[in-house]
Amino acid sequence: MRIRNKAWAWQATTAGAVVAVLLWFSHNLSANLAIRGMQVDFAFLWQRSGFDIPFRLVAWDNSYTYGYALVVSGVNTLFAAALCVVLASLLGLLLALMRLSGNPLAVGFSRTSIEVVRNTPQLTQIVFFYFAVLQVLPPMRQSLQWGSGIFLNVRGLYIPSPSGVLWDWIVAGTCIVVLLVAVLWRRFSWHELPRIVVLPPLLVAGVVIAGFTASWELPALKGFNFVGGIRIPPELLALVLGITIYTSVFIAEIIRAAIQGIHHGQSEAARSLGLSSGQSMFLVILPQALRILIPPLTSQYLNIIKSTTLGAAIAYPEILQIFARTVLNQSGRAVEVMTLVLGVFLAINLITSAIMNAWNRRLALQGR
Amino acid sequence: MQAIGRVPVLGALFGTRLNAVISLAMLALMAWLLPPLFRWAFADAVWEAANRAACQAAGTGACWAFIRARFALFFYGLYPEPERWRADVGLLLLAVIGAGALLARRHKGWWLLALITVAPVGGGILLAGGVFGLKPIPTPQWGGLLLNVVISFVALAGAMPLGVALAFGRRSQFPVVRMLSIAMIEFWRGVPLLTVLFMGLVLLPLFLPGGVTVDNLVRALIVMTLFTAAYMAETIRGGLQGVAKGQSEAAEALGMHPMQVQVLVVLPQALRLSIPGIINIAVDLFKDTTLVSIVGLFDLMGVVTQSMKDPAWLGLAAEGYTFAAVVFFLACLVISMGGSLLERRYGQASRR
């Protein structure tokens, strides 16, 4: 009985202290806001913003509201993060394979680049790509050119844009088929190969086939600017390059650890059953390595989403840059703006870890 | 092919068809990358020049004269020149006590105690001044690599006790304590560092009584400390889980108070187990201190970015950031080396 009382006393004291601090904060906050004649009010989200967002994937002009600016910048954040996740995974896989190849040159190159990249700050790498590489490129008229459709200059990278009815249908169709196959995988018991080995190439193949049917619009210099094609701004390029390279070395180490973590007896057993080296890799080693891989890979993907905020250093219009800088400066609503920005990142993090945890649980169960 | 396979070096490079293809691809990549890099950084580089124009006249490579001209600025920021010895002595104090804690054979505890008391207090007095006849130097004048070191050290020293407390809190049998610890840890781990640095910048003054102004550096220090503490807590929690249950049961059987069991028996073993994780946190923290340059402090990155805007050295981004990268690379190497030393010395007992 006495122990129970003591436990309650402990908890009550802790809770009391936390509540007291929070009350003190909120008292100070309301006093400070009262001096400025303000109160916490989210109504400003419906006000006209009046500023431009230089890069966006959805409709925007300065007559849209502050609230909608959060959507536009949020889409920019997720777009950059998605690009980085795909590219960093591929580059990380390549570096890991080089490291495991046994070829002294490839091992040395992989080890050196991993050590250099992971011991220098990510911010240094991003601003290096932006200020030292992309901002010193030649102007429009002296663009670097590859083939007849790819141009690189100080204003960004210009690539051809595909269009056409057939292109639209084949791309949409491929996406639906890949999604269906992914969901129904277990039902058809196509478990000879792991999904992750089959689905991405399927998607790529579909897009390539669609590419042959599309009519490609090439960017072309008209007067002072390029017309047609797609422009990738240098801010996005630098951010994606910086995050991709930085994260890929961590992913490479994770993949290497996972593959080396599979007991040697597994591949020996596979060989003695008469499986070829490719079969033993894809059917025995990789499915097991994937299971070890997922938890640390998840935290790297979450790091990518968090790292997109570094875009604020080079003015890529992501959430922090647009919302915590432009909108906050214009509206002066510090509490509301920071609450929203922190809330968005917390939500993204919690949702991603929930999804990855669920996937991890399914994979972990599969083997038993 | 067969004959080549038996030669030591050539065999490893060209023994099989696949290996030969990889080797040729790697050789081509290096032939494409390394010579231009070498020419830029060394062969065509300019080491002595008065300004950028003179640099470009002298050679087409890197203008290292820029780094030489701004060297002191990169290390001390705007810390006034006659007082820089104070920064040197402060860093030396930190280095000596740090080395003592790492290398001492006896009185390890005293050295560690000095590291978290004498070093920050002595270093703080030396840097800030205002007592013992030392001229006060306001924090906006602190800068360069000095600032990165100060922030890392303070955040790490503050995060250790906080992290231990949060780790115990998360394992506590009291639901209220556990919930609060989880909320604290997951909040700081769920948001990007830059976002919380912004929060410290714009929100912290609003949460304090009117009229209280908090120094910009102190705001960054508070945020960095709490952020690091959350990650520290998870690492130490991992260490606590790694201590065999028999240890605390044995201590209890000896009649020790539950508090003694945790502090004297479980925690030392847990910390020993978490050394690799703590070193990782220290390296990440040191790299992350560059983020304070985005919220208006002039650490090494901030000073480099600022120096590139100087008309005499306009736009020498490649040189400036390469230098910063090399400095951080070396510093991280030192931290990792100190870490493995720490692991060898303090991790030893558990291996026996």
Side-chain angles (χ1 to χ4, degrees), chain A residues 105-135:
Chain A
L105 281 176
V107 173
F109 185 87
S110 174
R111 280 186 67 165
T112 316
S113 43
I114 288 174
E115 283 306 313
V116 168
V117 170
R118 114 175 139 174
N119 282 315
T120 44
Q122 194 173 13
L123 180 64
T124 314
Q125 295 175 28
I126 292 171
V127 293
F128 181 87
F129 284 122
Y130 188 65
F131 289 110
V133 179
L134 296 170
Q135 288 289 293

PDB file of all heavy atoms in Angstrom, chain A residues 105-135:
ATOM      1  N   LEU A 105      39.352  -2.586 -57.503  1.00  0.00           N
ATOM      2  CA  LEU A 105      39.077  -1.210 -57.938  1.00  0.00           C
ATOM      3  C   LEU A 105      37.691  -0.767 -57.510  1.00  0.00           C
ATOM      4  O   LEU A 105      37.503   0.333 -56.973  1.00  0.00           O
ATOM      5  CB  LEU A 105      39.191  -1.117 -59.464  1.00  0.00           C
ATOM      6  CG  LEU A 105      40.589  -1.035 -60.040  1.00  0.00           C
ATOM      7  CD1 LEU A 105      40.523  -1.058 -61.551  1.00  0.00           C
ATOM      8  CD2 LEU A 105      41.272   0.234 -59.563  1.00  0.00           C
ATOM      9  N   ALA A 106      36.694  -1.623 -57.736  1.00  0.00           N
ATOM     10  CA  ALA A 106      35.314  -1.270 -57.386  1.00  0.00           C
ATOM     11  C   ALA A 106      35.160  -1.137 -55.879  1.00  0.00           C
ATOM     12  O   ALA A 106      34.531  -0.192 -55.389  1.00  0.00           O
ATOM     13  CB  ALA A 106      34.354  -2.325 -57.927  1.00  0.00           C
ATOM     14  N   VAL A 107      35.779  -2.053 -55.121  1.00  0.00           N
ATOM     15  CA  VAL A 107      35.691  -1.989 -53.656  1.00  0.00           C
ATOM     16  C   VAL A 107      36.321  -0.693 -53.153  1.00  0.00           C
ATOM     17  O   VAL A 107      35.748   0.018 -52.326  1.00  0.00           O
ATOM     18  CB  VAL A 107      36.388  -3.212 -53.017  1.00  0.00           C
ATOM     19  CG1 VAL A 107      36.459  -3.059 -51.510  1.00  0.00           C
ATOM     20  CG2 VAL A 107      35.645  -4.483 -53.371  1.00  0.00           C
ATOM     21  N   GLY A 108      37.517  -0.371 -53.704  1.00  0.00           N
ATOM     22  CA  GLY A 108      38.206   0.844 -53.267  1.00  0.00           C
ATOM     23  C   GLY A 108      37.406   2.095 -53.572  1.00  0.00           C
ATOM     24  O   GLY A 108      37.254   2.973 -52.717  1.00  0.00           O
ATOM     25  N   PHE A 109      36.872   2.158 -54.788  1.00  0.00           N
ATOM     26  CA  PHE A 109      36.075   3.334 -55.173  1.00  0.00           C
ATOM     27  C   PHE A 109      34.870   3.485 -54.252  1.00  0.00           C
ATOM     28  O   PHE A 109      34.586   4.573 -53.743  1.00  0.00           O
ATOM     29  CB  PHE A 109      35.607   3.185 -56.624  1.00  0.00           C
ATOM     30  CG  PHE A 109      34.882   4.382 -57.147  1.00  0.00           C
ATOM     31  CD1 PHE A 109      35.580   5.429 -57.718  1.00  0.00           C
ATOM     32  CD2 PHE A 109      33.501   4.466 -57.055  1.00  0.00           C
ATOM     33  CE1 PHE A 109      34.912   6.536 -58.201  1.00  0.00           C
ATOM     34  CE2 PHE A 109      32.834   5.578 -57.525  1.00  0.00           C
ATOM     35  CZ  PHE A 109      33.540   6.612 -58.101  1.00  0.00           C
ATOM     36  N   SER A 110      34.170   2.371 -54.019  1.00  0.00           N
ATOM     37  CA  SER A 110      32.966   2.415 -53.190  1.00  0.00           C
ATOM     38  C   SER A 110      33.305   2.827 -51.755  1.00  0.00           C
ATOM     39  O   SER A 110      32.662   3.713 -51.187  1.00  0.00           O
ATOM     40  CB  SER A 110      32.306   1.033 -53.213  1.00  0.00           C
ATOM     41  OG  SER A 110      31.234   0.998 -52.332  1.00  0.00           O
ATOM     42  N   ARG A 111      34.355   2.209 -51.202  1.00  0.00           N
ATOM     43  CA  ARG A 111      34.719   2.538 -49.811  1.00  0.00           C
ATOM     44  C   ARG A 111      35.106   3.990 -49.663  1.00  0.00           C
ATOM     45  O   ARG A 111      34.692   4.674 -48.725  1.00  0.00           O
ATOM     46  CB  ARG A 111      35.889   1.660 -49.355  1.00  0.00           C
ATOM     47  CG  ARG A 111      35.457   0.283 -48.946  1.00  0.00           C
ATOM     48  CD  ARG A 111      36.617  -0.479 -48.380  1.00  0.00           C
ATOM     49  NE  ARG A 111      37.082   0.088 -47.115  1.00  0.00           N
ATOM     50  CZ  ARG A 111      37.884  -0.551 -46.288  1.00  0.00           C
ATOM     51  NH1 ARG A 111      38.309  -1.752 -46.595  1.00  0.00           N
ATOM     52  NH2 ARG A 111      38.263   0.008 -45.173  1.00  0.00           N
ATOM     53  N   THR A 112      35.958   4.481 -50.602  1.00  0.00           N
ATOM     54  CA  THR A 112      36.411   5.872 -50.508  1.00  0.00           C
ATOM     55  C   THR A 112      35.232   6.828 -50.591  1.00  0.00           C
ATOM     56  O   THR A 112      35.096   7.738 -49.774  1.00  0.00           O
ATOM     57  CB  THR A 112      37.399   6.180 -51.642  1.00  0.00           C
ATOM     58  OG1 THR A 112      38.302   5.103 -51.757  1.00  0.00           O
ATOM     59  CG2 THR A 112      38.138   7.463 -51.387  1.00  0.00           C
ATOM     60  N   SER A 113      34.355   6.605 -51.588  1.00  0.00           N
ATOM     61  CA  SER A 113      33.257   7.572 -51.728  1.00  0.00           C
ATOM     62  C   SER A 113      32.326   7.495 -50.522  1.00  0.00           C
ATOM     63  O   SER A 113      31.817   8.525 -50.065  1.00  0.00           O
ATOM     64  CB  SER A 113      32.509   7.361 -53.039  1.00  0.00           C
ATOM     65  OG  SER A 113      32.290   6.012 -53.274  1.00  0.00           O
ATOM     66  N   ILE A 114      32.104   6.300 -49.980  1.00  0.00           N
ATOM     67  CA  ILE A 114      31.229   6.201 -48.804  1.00  0.00           C
ATOM     68  C   ILE A 114      31.829   6.983 -47.630  1.00  0.00           C
ATOM     69  O   ILE A 114      31.143   7.785 -46.984  1.00  0.00           O
ATOM     70  CB  ILE A 114      31.005   4.721 -48.417  1.00  0.00           C
ATOM     71  CG1 ILE A 114      30.091   4.040 -49.439  1.00  0.00           C
ATOM     72  CG2 ILE A 114      30.395   4.617 -47.029  1.00  0.00           C
ATOM     73  CD1 ILE A 114      29.925   2.547 -49.234  1.00  0.00           C
ATOM     74  N   GLU A 115      33.147   6.790 -47.382  1.00  0.00           N
ATOM     75  CA  GLU A 115      33.778   7.472 -46.242  1.00  0.00           C
ATOM     76  C   GLU A 115      33.750   8.989 -46.403  1.00  0.00           C
ATOM     77  O   GLU A 115      33.463   9.733 -45.465  1.00  0.00           O
ATOM     78  CB  GLU A 115      35.226   6.998 -46.072  1.00  0.00           C
ATOM     79  CG  GLU A 115      35.359   5.636 -45.438  1.00  0.00           C
ATOM     80  CD  GLU A 115      34.628   5.538 -44.109  1.00  0.00           C
ATOM     81  OE1 GLU A 115      34.777   6.437 -43.267  1.00  0.00           O
ATOM     82  OE2 GLU A 115      33.888   4.553 -43.920  1.00  0.00           O
ATOM     83  N   VAL A 116      34.065   9.465 -47.631  1.00  0.00           N
ATOM     84  CA  VAL A 116      34.106  10.910 -47.857  1.00  0.00           C
ATOM     85  C   VAL A 116      32.720  11.520 -47.676  1.00  0.00           C
ATOM     86  O   VAL A 116      32.536  12.513 -46.974  1.00  0.00           O
ATOM     87  CB  VAL A 116      34.667  11.228 -49.263  1.00  0.00           C
ATOM     88  CG1 VAL A 116      34.435  12.686 -49.621  1.00  0.00           C
ATOM     89  CG2 VAL A 116      36.144  10.901 -49.319  1.00  0.00           C
ATOM     90  N   VAL A 117      31.722  10.903 -48.319  1.00  0.00           N
ATOM     91  CA  VAL A 117      30.379  11.501 -48.308  1.00  0.00           C
ATOM     92  C   VAL A 117      29.785  11.476 -46.914  1.00  0.00           C
ATOM     93  O   VAL A 117      29.177  12.446 -46.462  1.00  0.00           O
ATOM     94  CB  VAL A 117      29.465  10.773 -49.308  1.00  0.00           C
ATOM     95  CG1 VAL A 117      28.027  11.213 -49.128  1.00  0.00           C
ATOM     96  CG2 VAL A 117      29.925  11.049 -50.723  1.00  0.00           C
ATOM     97  N   ARG A 118      29.995  10.369 -46.179  1.00  0.00           N
ATOM     98  CA  ARG A 118      29.270  10.297 -44.923  1.00  0.00           C
ATOM     99  C   ARG A 118      29.940  11.107 -43.813  1.00  0.00           C
ATOM    100  O   ARG A 118      29.305  11.377 -42.806  1.00  0.00           O
ATOM    101  CB  ARG A 118      29.049   8.832 -44.587  1.00  0.00           C
ATOM    102  CG  ARG A 118      29.721   8.297 -43.419  1.00  0.00           C
ATOM    103  CD  ARG A 118      29.320   6.927 -43.162  1.00  0.00           C
ATOM    104  NE  ARG A 118      30.530   6.199 -42.779  1.00  0.00           N
ATOM    105  CZ  ARG A 118      30.522   4.965 -42.376  1.00  0.00           C
ATOM    106  NH1 ARG A 118      29.426   4.298 -42.370  1.00  0.00           N
ATOM    107  NH2 ARG A 118      31.629   4.391 -42.015  1.00  0.00           N
ATOM    108  N   ASN A 119      31.186  11.538 -44.024  1.00  0.00           N
ATOM    109  CA  ASN A 119      31.841  12.357 -43.008  1.00  0.00           C
ATOM    110  C   ASN A 119      31.855  13.838 -43.337  1.00  0.00           C
ATOM    111  O   ASN A 119      32.617  14.592 -42.735  1.00  0.00           O
ATOM    112  CB  ASN A 119      33.260  11.850 -42.762  1.00  0.00           C
ATOM    113  CG  ASN A 119      33.260  10.613 -41.898  1.00  0.00           C
ATOM    114  OD1 ASN A 119      32.561  10.560 -40.887  1.00  0.00           O
ATOM    115  ND2 ASN A 119      33.999   9.611 -42.303  1.00  0.00           N
ATOM    116  N   THR A 120      31.067  14.253 -44.324  1.00  0.00           N
ATOM    117  CA  THR A 120      30.942  15.693 -44.582  1.00  0.00           C
ATOM    118  C   THR A 120      29.475  16.076 -44.440  1.00  0.00           C
ATOM    119  O   THR A 120      28.595  15.265 -44.722  1.00  0.00           O
ATOM    120  CB  THR A 120      31.450  16.074 -45.977  1.00  0.00           C
ATOM    121  OG1 THR A 120      30.955  15.125 -46.909  1.00  0.00           O
ATOM    122  CG2 THR A 120      32.947  16.087 -46.050  1.00  0.00           C
ATOM    123  N   PRO A 121      29.192  17.309 -43.979  1.00  0.00           N
ATOM    124  CA  PRO A 121      27.796  17.674 -43.721  1.00  0.00           C
ATOM    125  C   PRO A 121      26.961  17.677 -45.009  1.00  0.00           C
ATOM    126  O   PRO A 121      27.441  18.042 -46.075  1.00  0.00           O
ATOM    127  CB  PRO A 121      27.903  19.088 -43.154  1.00  0.00           C
ATOM    128  CG  PRO A 121      29.306  19.239 -42.711  1.00  0.00           C
ATOM    129  CD  PRO A 121      30.120  18.371 -43.597  1.00  0.00           C
ATOM    130  N   GLN A 122      25.716  17.260 -44.854  1.00  0.00           N
ATOM    131  CA  GLN A 122      24.785  17.236 -45.972  1.00  0.00           C
ATOM    132  C   GLN A 122      24.568  18.641 -46.535  1.00  0.00           C
ATOM    133  O   GLN A 122      24.507  18.824 -47.751  1.00  0.00           O
ATOM    134  CB  GLN A 122      23.464  16.661 -45.464  1.00  0.00           C
ATOM    135  CG  GLN A 122      22.523  16.259 -46.549  1.00  0.00           C
ATOM    136  CD  GLN A 122      21.322  15.548 -45.989  1.00  0.00           C
ATOM    137  OE1 GLN A 122      21.069  15.552 -44.784  1.00  0.00           O
ATOM    138  NE2 GLN A 122      20.558  14.939 -46.857  1.00  0.00           N
ATOM    139  N   LEU A 123      24.478  19.615 -45.632  1.00  0.00           N
ATOM    140  CA  LEU A 123      24.244  20.990 -46.082  1.00  0.00           C
ATOM    141  C   LEU A 123      25.389  21.462 -46.973  1.00  0.00           C
ATOM    142  O   LEU A 123      25.164  22.099 -48.011  1.00  0.00           O
ATOM    143  CB  LEU A 123      24.103  21.906 -44.866  1.00  0.00           C
ATOM    144  CG  LEU A 123      23.857  23.377 -45.176  1.00  0.00           C
ATOM    145  CD1 LEU A 123      22.526  23.564 -45.874  1.00  0.00           C
ATOM    146  CD2 LEU A 123      23.902  24.220 -43.916  1.00  0.00           C
ATOM    147  N   THR A 124      26.631  21.131 -46.584  1.00  0.00           N
ATOM    148  CA  THR A 124      27.792  21.517 -47.393  1.00  0.00           C
ATOM    149  C   THR A 124      27.668  20.935 -48.796  1.00  0.00           C
ATOM    150  O   THR A 124      27.955  21.614 -49.784  1.00  0.00           O
ATOM    151  CB  THR A 124      29.091  21.021 -46.738  1.00  0.00           C
ATOM    152  OG1 THR A 124      29.050  21.333 -45.351  1.00  0.00           O
ATOM    153  CG2 THR A 124      30.300  21.662 -47.366  1.00  0.00           C
ATOM    154  N   GLN A 125      27.232  19.677 -48.879  1.00  0.00           N
ATOM    155  CA  GLN A 125      27.113  19.045 -50.193  1.00  0.00           C
ATOM    156  C   GLN A 125      26.040  19.725 -51.040  1.00  0.00           C
ATOM    157  O   GLN A 125      26.235  19.976 -52.225  1.00  0.00           O
ATOM    158  CB  GLN A 125      26.809  17.558 -50.023  1.00  0.00           C
ATOM    159  CG  GLN A 125      27.955  16.817 -49.354  1.00  0.00           C
ATOM    160  CD  GLN A 125      27.620  15.378 -49.070  1.00  0.00           C
ATOM    161  OE1 GLN A 125      26.826  14.763 -49.756  1.00  0.00           O
ATOM    162  NE2 GLN A 125      28.236  14.820 -48.050  1.00  0.00           N
ATOM    163  N   ILE A 126      24.895  20.020 -50.431  1.00  0.00           N
ATOM    164  CA  ILE A 126      23.806  20.631 -51.196  1.00  0.00           C
ATOM    165  C   ILE A 126      24.208  22.015 -51.698  1.00  0.00           C
ATOM    166  O   ILE A 126      24.045  22.325 -52.885  1.00  0.00           O
ATOM    167  CB  ILE A 126      22.518  20.714 -50.339  1.00  0.00           C
ATOM    168  CG1 ILE A 126      21.986  19.298 -50.078  1.00  0.00           C
ATOM    169  CG2 ILE A 126      21.465  21.557 -51.032  1.00  0.00           C
ATOM    170  CD1 ILE A 126      20.864  19.242 -49.091  1.00  0.00           C
ATOM    171  N   VAL A 127      24.750  22.865 -50.829  1.00  0.00           N
ATOM    172  CA  VAL A 127      25.127  24.210 -51.276  1.00  0.00           C
ATOM    173  C   VAL A 127      26.294  24.137 -52.260  1.00  0.00           C
ATOM    174  O   VAL A 127      26.408  24.971 -53.146  1.00  0.00           O
ATOM    175  CB  VAL A 127      25.454  25.168 -50.112  1.00  0.00           C
ATOM    176  CG1 VAL A 127      24.218  25.452 -49.302  1.00  0.00           C
ATOM    177  CG2 VAL A 127      26.565  24.651 -49.265  1.00  0.00           C
ATOM    178  N   PHE A 128      27.152  23.101 -52.115  1.00  0.00           N
ATOM    179  CA  PHE A 128      28.232  22.931 -53.090  1.00  0.00           C
ATOM    180  C   PHE A 128      27.637  22.697 -54.467  1.00  0.00           C
ATOM    181  O   PHE A 128      28.003  23.381 -55.434  1.00  0.00           O
ATOM    182  CB  PHE A 128      29.137  21.759 -52.697  1.00  0.00           C
ATOM    183  CG  PHE A 128      30.288  21.542 -53.633  1.00  0.00           C
ATOM    184  CD1 PHE A 128      31.479  22.218 -53.449  1.00  0.00           C
ATOM    185  CD2 PHE A 128      30.171  20.694 -54.720  1.00  0.00           C
ATOM    186  CE1 PHE A 128      32.540  22.044 -54.322  1.00  0.00           C
ATOM    187  CE2 PHE A 128      31.224  20.512 -55.600  1.00  0.00           C
ATOM    188  CZ  PHE A 128      32.410  21.192 -55.397  1.00  0.00           C
ATOM    189  N   PHE A 129      26.695  21.757 -54.586  1.00  0.00           N
ATOM    190  CA  PHE A 129      26.089  21.489 -55.891  1.00  0.00           C
ATOM    191  C   PHE A 129      25.394  22.739 -56.431  1.00  0.00           C
ATOM    192  O   PHE A 129      25.429  23.004 -57.622  1.00  0.00           O
ATOM    193  CB  PHE A 129      25.082  20.339 -55.803  1.00  0.00           C
ATOM    194  CG  PHE A 129      25.749  19.002 -55.718  1.00  0.00           C
ATOM    195  CD1 PHE A 129      25.498  18.161 -54.652  1.00  0.00           C
ATOM    196  CD2 PHE A 129      26.626  18.600 -56.698  1.00  0.00           C
ATOM    197  CE1 PHE A 129      26.125  16.932 -54.568  1.00  0.00           C
ATOM    198  CE2 PHE A 129      27.250  17.370 -56.628  1.00  0.00           C
ATOM    199  CZ  PHE A 129      27.000  16.546 -55.559  1.00  0.00           C
ATOM    200  N   TYR A 130      24.773  23.499 -55.536  1.00  0.00           N
ATOM    201  CA  TYR A 130      24.014  24.660 -56.002  1.00  0.00           C
ATOM    202  C   TYR A 130      24.943  25.804 -56.403  1.00  0.00           C
ATOM    203  O   TYR A 130      24.918  26.257 -57.547  1.00  0.00           O
ATOM    204  CB  TYR A 130      23.046  25.129 -54.912  1.00  0.00           C
ATOM    205  CG  TYR A 130      22.109  26.203 -55.403  1.00  0.00           C
ATOM    206  CD1 TYR A 130      21.175  25.923 -56.384  1.00  0.00           C
ATOM    207  CD2 TYR A 130      22.153  27.498 -54.884  1.00  0.00           C
ATOM    208  CE1 TYR A 130      20.313  26.899 -56.845  1.00  0.00           C
ATOM    209  CE2 TYR A 130      21.294  28.471 -55.338  1.00  0.00           C
ATOM    210  CZ  TYR A 130      20.371  28.162 -56.322  1.00  0.00           C
ATOM    211  OH  TYR A 130      19.530  29.132 -56.780  1.00  0.00           O
ATOM    212  N   PHE A 131      25.788  26.251 -55.473  1.00  0.00           N
ATOM    213  CA  PHE A 131      26.587  27.453 -55.743  1.00  0.00           C
ATOM    214  C   PHE A 131      27.836  27.165 -56.563  1.00  0.00           C
ATOM    215  O   PHE A 131      28.280  28.014 -57.332  1.00  0.00           O
ATOM    216  CB  PHE A 131      26.989  28.136 -54.430  1.00  0.00           C
ATOM    217  CG  PHE A 131      25.844  28.793 -53.729  1.00  0.00           C
ATOM    218  CD1 PHE A 131      25.361  28.275 -52.543  1.00  0.00           C
ATOM    219  CD2 PHE A 131      25.227  29.918 -54.270  1.00  0.00           C
ATOM    220  CE1 PHE A 131      24.292  28.870 -51.891  1.00  0.00           C
ATOM    221  CE2 PHE A 131      24.161  30.517 -53.628  1.00  0.00           C
ATOM    222  CZ  PHE A 131      23.694  29.988 -52.437  1.00  0.00           C
ATOM    223  N   ALA A 132      28.446  25.979 -56.375  1.00  0.00           N
ATOM    224  CA  ALA A 132      29.727  25.728 -57.034  1.00  0.00           C
ATOM    225  C   ALA A 132      29.580  24.978 -58.349  1.00  0.00           C
ATOM    226  O   ALA A 132      30.488  24.992 -59.170  1.00  0.00           O
ATOM    227  CB  ALA A 132      30.650  24.945 -56.103  1.00  0.00           C
ATOM    228  N   VAL A 133      28.444  24.294 -58.562  1.00  0.00           N
ATOM    229  CA  VAL A 133      28.288  23.548 -59.814  1.00  0.00           C
ATOM    230  C   VAL A 133      27.216  24.168 -60.703  1.00  0.00           C
ATOM    231  O   VAL A 133      27.483  24.544 -61.845  1.00  0.00           O
ATOM    232  CB  VAL A 133      27.944  22.065 -59.532  1.00  0.00           C
ATOM    233  CG1 VAL A 133      27.754  21.310 -60.835  1.00  0.00           C
ATOM    234  CG2 VAL A 133      29.038  21.410 -58.700  1.00  0.00           C
ATOM    235  N   LEU A 134      25.990  24.306 -60.179  1.00  0.00           N
ATOM    236  CA  LEU A 134      24.877  24.691 -61.044  1.00  0.00           C
ATOM    237  C   LEU A 134      24.814  26.196 -61.295  1.00  0.00           C
ATOM    238  O   LEU A 134      24.365  26.631 -62.350  1.00  0.00           O
ATOM    239  CB  LEU A 134      23.558  24.207 -60.441  1.00  0.00           C
ATOM    240  CG  LEU A 134      23.468  22.684 -60.349  1.00  0.00           C
ATOM    241  CD1 LEU A 134      22.263  22.251 -59.538  1.00  0.00           C
ATOM    242  CD2 LEU A 134      23.379  22.079 -61.742  1.00  0.00           C
ATOM    243  N   GLN A 135      25.265  27.000 -60.324  1.00  0.00           N
ATOM    244  CA  GLN A 135      25.183  28.453 -60.517  1.00  0.00           C
ATOM    245  C   GLN A 135      26.315  28.995 -61.381  1.00  0.00           C
ATOM    246  O   GLN A 135      26.297  30.166 -61.766  1.00  0.00           O
ATOM    247  CB  GLN A 135      25.204  29.168 -59.153  1.00  0.00           C
ATOM    248  CG  GLN A 135      23.932  28.993 -58.366  1.00  0.00           C
ATOM    249  CD  GLN A 135      22.765  29.760 -58.956  1.00  0.00           C
ATOM    250  OE1 GLN A 135      22.747  30.973 -58.959  1.00  0.00           O
ATOM    251  NE2 GLN A 135      21.779  29.038 -59.488  1.00  0.00           N
TER     252      GLN A 135
END
